Amino acid sequence: MKQETRYIALSDESGTGGELIILQTNAPAKRLKALEKESCEIYTNGDYEDVPIWPSVLEDEGYECSIIDSHQHVTPYDTSKEWQQEEYPEIKEFYYIDTIEE
């Protein structure tokens, strides 16, 4: 079941570029959590180049998904968290690509 289109935030570990990406999508949260888990497992296995490109995967599944904006996690001026809170305060969904701790 597709939801209304909304903004979500996708954060990757510094090893994958270290940025916060703002996406606009209508994919259900359950699907996004599954994609997050899959992405983390691949990243943890060291297959960095095989981490799914979220917009491509979701669009192939029939959902809308586009990159709206992005920001490096740390700059000389601010952090991605400060930037997100200022620019996109309406975002309530956050997903992370990171190493899974054993």
Side-chain angles (χ1 to χ4, degrees), residues 60-80:
D60 286 349
E61 294 175 0
Y63 299 109
E64 296 172 19
C65 187
S66 56
I67 296 174
I68 301 300
D69 209 343
S70 68
H71 193 280
Q72 293 296 311
H73 283 316
V74 179
T75 73
Y77 309 104
D78 63 3
T79 66
S80 59

Side-chain angles (χ1 to χ4, degrees), residues 77-95:
Y77 309 104
D78 63 3
T79 66
S80 59
K81 182 177 181 178
E82 293 165 338
W83 171 80
Q84 178 269 312
Q85 289 173 347
E86 183 177 316
E87 298 293 324
Y88 300 95
E90 71 276 13
I91 293 177
K92 305 294 184 231
E93 284 181 69
F94 296 88
Y95 301 91

Side-chain angles (χ1 to χ4, degrees), residues 8 13 24 26 31 33 69 91:
I8 64 167
E13 183 177 66
Q24 183 175 17
N26 66 345
R31 176 61 187 117
K33 288 305 278 182
D69 209 343
I91 293 177

Side-chain angles (χ1 to χ4, degrees), residues 18-34:
E19 67 181 332
L20 181 69
I21 303 165
I22 307 301
L23 300 169
Q24 183 175 17
T25 187
N26 66 345
K30 184 175 181 178
R31 176 61 187 117
L32 297 173
K33 288 305 278 182

